[in-house]
Amino acid sequence: MSLQLTDEQRSLVQTVREFAARECGTREQRLALTDQGRTTSSPEIAAKLAELGFPGLSLPEEYGGSGGSLFDACLFVEELAYGRIPLASYPVTLIVAHSYARFAPEAIKREVIGKVAAGAPTAIAMSEPGSGSDVASLTCRAEKVEGGYRVDGQKTWISNGHVAEHILLVARTSDSGAKHQGITMLSVPTATDGIEIRPIPTLGAEVNDVFFTDVFVPEERLVGVEGQGWAQLIAGLNIERVIIGALALGQARRAFDDTVAYVKQRTQFGKPVGSFQALSQRLAELATEVEATRLLVHDVAQRVDENPGALLPREASMAKLKATELAKRAALEGVQMMGGMGYTQEAGMEELLRHAVVGTIVGGTSEIQKDIIAKTLGL
């Protein structure tokens, strides 16, 4: 295993960077693509990236993907964040698509994965008002009925729910046994009768409440094995945490580079503010942290590729924890070092900070990641 990029991977990175500079390199371009900042994903950008084959990088060729590695996809996600490309829907979409690729029946794979490779978003519904970090405590019911399941309950914080054609629903089909048992995955078209999707106003994120009222889901939309949904979720944690880590790494690099550029040109007391030791040493530390995090995230992604069936709870949690906390720190330092400019929408650092902070919450909070790492140490 080598942490050096191949020629093909360097070309991938360069192509995405050139795309970002050309299509959304200015704030004016990004505002035009996102309804003046009211959304975080541009269908126009998604379509253009799909023409280049990027959304399906790590998805199977037989379903419209390119059959590449998770590491390839992570490089793409990292550059999405670094280039400020308005496609915030993609990381979640990619995580969900890998679950479909692993567990869904053939017909649903062709239905959903093909659309993801063509640039369409998709969603997963796990969290509930009373079930966040403790996902296994979920109560949304999928009762077995003739020909399928009858679903009732509420899901919350559902990314992409308002724009996705399908939701991968995680629901309870049985109360017998431990709480981790009796959980099932179903692929539910969002146009199904009885589904109501309500956007939740938040700081820069597009999330939703999703209500299921007497929703019928045919049995052929079962994903994986009934009652084995928890094990299926656990099997996808490596991919989820590494993808979030790659996203956060790109955010950290963007915040760091923008901060360095600013302190080099901003003068006070007759010289660039970056020359003051109070700032320069903090930036030296951040530079070291960015490089260490890059090596960690890239290493874990390659380990997952080398052994897709292995669970890597310590390594994947470390990558997610380190990268998301670094992105938050880098953006906070950027705001502080840029002073009043750091708070302006024009400079963009406040937007980076908003997006970075949520990374320490989604996909398992930093505290949950630390608990997981501690357990692998026998603590």
Side-chain angles (χ1 to χ4, degrees):
M1 179 179 69
S2 171
L3 291 179
Q4 297 300 313
L5 302 188
T6 65
D7 290 342
E8 291 79 6
Q9 288 166 339
R10 282 191 288 270
S11 176
L12 183 161
V13 169
Q14 186 61 32
T15 300
V16 180
R17 288 183 186 175
E18 291 172 356
F19 179 94
R22 181 177 66 253
E23 301 290 341
C24 50
T26 68
R27 181 168 181 265
E28 290 71 25
Q29 285 176 304
R30 293 191 293 274
L31 287 174
L33 288 163
T34 58
D35 189 22
Q36 298 304 304
R38 295 182 183 90
T39 65
T40 57
S41 293
S42 163
E44 178 183 342
I45 288 293
K48 288 182 177 181
L49 287 170
E51 289 179 4
L52 297 171
F54 287 116
L57 269 175
S58 60
L59 300 176
E61 292 181 89
E62 59 266 35
Y63 307 117
S66 301
S69 66
L70 176 64
F71 186 31
D72 293 336
C74 284
L75 291 173
F76 174 55
V77 169
E78 183 182 338
E79 291 303 322
L80 278 181
Y82 182 77
R84 294 179 179 269
I85 297 174
L87 199 60
S89 62
Y90 181 70
V92 169
T93 293
L94 180 61
I95 292 166
V96 179
H98 274 274
S99 289
Y100 276 110
R102 189 163 185 175
F103 298 110
E106 195 70 16
I108 293 181
K109 285 180 182 179
R110 297 192 179 281
E111 177 185 6
V112 177
I113 298 175
K115 290 183 178 179
V116 169
T122 191
I124 186 169
M126 290 188 292
S127 295
E128 298 178 5
S131 174
S133 294
D134 184 13
V135 176
S137 65
L138 61 87
T139 60
C140 179
R141 299 285 310 185
E143 181 183 357
K144 193 69 180 291
V145 296
E146 184 177 355
Y149 301 85
R150 188 73 61 183
V151 180
D152 287 280
Q154 178 186 353
K155 295 291 183 178
T156 193
W157 309 119
I158 310 307
S159 300
N160 304 342
H162 60 305
V163 291
E165 291 187 19
H166 303 85
I167 291 177
L168 182 58
L169 172 67
V170 185
R172 184 164 298 284
T173 49
S174 172
D175 289 317
S176 61
K179 67 179 181 179
H180 296 92
Q181 298 174 341
I183 294 174
T184 299
M185 288 183 175
L186 299 169
S187 178
V188 187
T190 53
T192 304
D193 290 342
I195 295 179
E196 180 186 1
I197 300 174
R198 298 181 193 169
I200 303 172
T202 59
L203 293 172
E206 294 183 353
V207 292
N208 308 268
D209 281 319
V210 181
F211 298 87
F212 297 85
T213 305
D214 200 26
V215 175
F216 177 72
V217 182
E219 59 187 0
E220 57 265 26
R221 303 204 69 85
L222 172 66
V223 175
V225 179
E226 181 180 316
Q228 297 299 309
W230 181 256
Q232 293 168 198
L233 283 174
I234 295 299
L237 289 181
N238 288 344
I239 291 173
E240 177 186 30
R241 289 169 183 162
V242 173
I243 289 172
I244 294 173
L247 176 69
L249 174 59
Q251 293 170 336
R253 288 176 46 224
R254 177 82 273 162
F256 175 79
D257 284 358
D258 286 0
T259 302
V260 170
Y262 182 84
V263 301
K264 282 181 176 180
Q265 59 86 26
R266 169 66 169 168
T267 60
Q268 289 288 276
F269 307 104
K271 58 182 180 179
V273 297
S275 64
F276 295 113
Q277 191 176 57
L279 272 62
S280 65
Q281 290 204 352
R282 279 151 58 190
L283 287 167
E285 289 180 359
L286 269 179
T288 305
E289 290 297 306
V290 168
E291 179 61 11
T293 303
R294 183 186 71 82
L295 293 172
L296 174 62
V297 172
H298 289 189
D299 172 63
V300 178
Q302 291 192 34
R303 292 193 193 197
V304 174
D305 281 330
E306 289 172 350
N307 196 348
L311 289 178
L312 302 172
R314 181 188 305 182
E315 294 86 351
S317 289
M318 284 179 173
K320 199 270 185 186
L321 171 66
K322 182 67 174 175
T324 56
E325 289 292 339
L326 175 64
K328 180 173 68 174
R329 177 187 168 193
L332 277 169
E333 287 282 29
V335 169
Q336 185 71 25
M337 293 185 190
M338 293 173 73
M341 281 299 294
Y343 273 85
T344 65
Q345 293 181 344
E346 177 185 355
M349 192 60 68
E350 58 83 30
E351 180 185 3
L352 278 171
L353 178 58
R354 285 188 278 112
H355 290 304
V357 168
V358 77
T360 66
I361 300 171
V362 299
T365 65
S366 291
E367 290 75 18
I368 291 293
Q369 305 309 315
K370 291 174 186 178
D371 281 346
I372 292 168
I373 295 165
K375 287 177 183 178
T376 69
L377 301 175
L379 300 174

